[in-house]
Amino acid sequence: MALPPRLWRLLPLRRGAARSVCQPARTWGSRGQRGARGSRGSEVIGNIRPFKRGLLFSALSYLGFETYQVISQAAMVHATAKVEEILEQADYLYESGETEKLYHLLTQYKESEDAELLWRLARASRDIAQLSKTSEEERKVLVYEALEYAKRALEKNESSFAAHKWCAICISDVGDYEGIKAKIANAYIIKEHFEKAIELNPKDATSIHLMGIWCYTFAEMPWYQRRIAKVLFANPPSSTYEEALRYFHRAEQVDPNFYSKNLLLLGKTYLKLNNKKLAAFWLVKAKGYPAHTEEDKQIQTEAAQLLTERKDTDFRMKGN
């Protein structure tokens, strides 16, 4: 990096000049007639040399600061490029259904300060927890671990719709281990996060779908849980199947066939509303959805069972 010309003039160009900066000034005070003039000359020289030394240090400090800025900027660019590379690998593994490989990749960077990386790590931790081969003890550890990653992601970037979405999902998962009171209390927080995620990104079908699940869950809440909720809270959370249906349809409009569970829940919600024709339509779609994940396989099985039960019911009704 080039120094400004005025600073180059301040740097010593000869060995002798460099030496004079470091050595003490000579005085002529004991040399006869030169005493008075010499003493004055030594006074001037004694003042200039520390001044030159200060200028040299200033020049070097300026050079050092400029170099530091260049190095810092280069390091930031390199770090950003590295994070982008990790995110690309993570997204590829997620789309490929490589749940365990994804988790092992991202846990190497669990101390990261990047919100995009952290919410992906929360998702990966939860996905590992959902695997059938994961023990109950491991599942609980992973669920709480996922919540911590999601919270950290939100702390780093409150404008991240994905951080809000995964924070809500993980809070809901933790509620399974903390009792009915905590679960109902958390419901308000979960709803706020889902609504914020939809506000930040209205085109994210998953956030809309999850808001539908929230509505469906409270629409089908058992009577005893409703009674507990009314005792514990003045205005307990509530919803209807009609409201859930609107969110499921909205998610499907934003991104058709994006998720097998949305198809399944459309069918189940229509069953709750006694619309068997539309229920069968969506359940058939859920059953025929390509199984990319373990969850897809489970949804195929559930959809097939519901369709079989519906046929049996119709057959019995005709027999009567």
Side-chain angles (χ1 to χ4, degrees):
M1 179 179 293
L3 281 173
R6 66 180 183 279
L7 291 179
W8 279 117
R9 289 199 296 272
L10 298 174
L11 296 176
L13 302 179
R14 304 183 312 278
R15 287 186 180 182
R19 189 164 172 245
S20 68
V21 173
C22 301
Q23 291 181 341
R26 293 174 59 188
T27 61
W28 293 2
S30 59
R31 299 279 183 167
Q33 292 182 354
R34 293 188 179 183
R37 294 171 67 185
S39 63
R40 185 168 181 175
S42 67
E43 181 182 344
V44 174
I45 293 171
N47 287 335
I48 288 176
R49 287 178 178 173
F51 176 67
K52 288 175 71 179
R53 186 184 299 117
L55 288 175
L56 173 61
F57 289 159
S58 296
L60 292 175
S61 296
Y62 174 84
L63 178 61
F65 176 70
E66 290 293 310
T67 304
Y68 168 77
Q69 282 190 317
V70 171
I71 292 171
S72 296
Q73 289 172 0
M76 287 176 65
V77 170
H78 177 73
T80 301
K82 185 177 181 181
V83 169
E84 289 299 323
E85 184 181 334
I86 296 164
L87 295 181
E88 285 181 13
Q89 292 177 32
D91 290 344
Y92 173 78
L93 290 172
Y94 181 75
E95 292 298 327
S96 303
E98 298 284 358
T99 305
E100 291 173 287
K101 287 182 181 178
L102 174 60
Y103 178 73
H104 290 311
L105 168 68
L106 293 178
T107 48
Q108 297 176 62
Y109 308 99
K110 61 183 179 181
E111 301 304 324
S112 172
E113 300 294 307
D114 188 90
E116 292 296 304
L117 198 152
L118 288 168
W119 73 252
R120 283 172 171 82
L121 181 51
R123 179 181 65 183
S125 300
R126 183 181 185 273
D127 286 347
I128 291 289
Q130 297 291 318
L131 294 178
S132 58
K133 66 180 182 179
T134 303
S135 70
E136 189 55 43
E137 288 182 5
E138 290 174 323
R139 184 173 290 112
K140 184 176 180 180
V141 170
L142 286 162
V143 162
Y144 279 92
E145 183 181 282
L147 178 57
E148 288 306 309
Y149 294 138
K151 284 181 176 179
R152 282 175 54 201
L154 201 56
E155 286 171 4
K156 301 304 175 186
N157 186 4
E158 290 186 355
S159 297
S160 168
F161 81 92
H164 279 283
K165 174 171 68 178
W166 285 99
C167 200
I169 293 169
C170 294
I171 291 171
S172 178
D173 290 343
V174 165
D176 293 337
Y177 297 97
E178 298 189 345
I180 185 64
K181 183 177 180 180
K183 196 159 188 172
I184 294 171
N186 287 339
Y188 298 99
I189 301 169
I190 292 166
K191 185 180 182 183
E192 286 174 6
H193 281 303
F194 284 148
E195 289 175 338
K196 187 65 177 178
I198 294 169
E199 177 189 327
L200 290 168
N201 186 1
K203 296 299 182 182
D204 181 53
T206 309
S207 297
I208 301 168
H209 162 80
L210 291 167
M211 193 64 238
I213 289 182
W214 189 95
C215 296
Y216 185 93
T217 301
F218 284 98
E220 72 165 357
M221 180 183 281
W223 65 269
Y224 65 90
Q225 289 188 2
R226 290 180 188 278
R227 182 171 292 180
I228 293 171
K230 286 180 181 179
V231 171
L232 296 174
F233 303 96
N235 295 303
S238 62
S239 189
T240 64
Y241 290 118
E242 287 82 2
E243 189 176 8
L245 195 63
R246 285 194 293 272
Y247 279 110
F248 295 141
H249 272 299
R250 182 179 168 187
E252 206 62 31
Q253 288 167 0
V254 168
D255 190 1
N257 294 318
F258 75 102
Y259 187 24
S260 59
K261 192 168 184 177
N262 199 64
L263 303 175
L264 176 70
L265 283 169
L266 276 162
K268 291 177 72 172
T269 307
Y270 274 116
L271 280 177
K272 294 289 186 181
L273 294 171
N274 294 315
N275 190 328
K276 295 178 182 179
K277 185 177 180 180
L278 284 175
F281 173 80
W282 291 106
L283 290 173
V284 167
K285 293 193 72 171
K287 181 185 174 184
Y289 192 91
H292 298 297
T293 66
E294 192 170 326
E295 183 185 33
D296 289 335
K297 294 175 184 176
Q298 293 169 356
I299 285 167
Q300 283 183 341
T301 302
E302 185 176 355
Q305 289 174 345
L306 288 169
L307 285 167
T308 301
E309 289 172 6
R310 175 182 171 274
K311 287 179 182 177
D312 290 343
T313 302
D314 290 346
F315 179 77
R316 285 196 298 269
M317 289 178 68
K318 286 179 181 179
N320 293 332

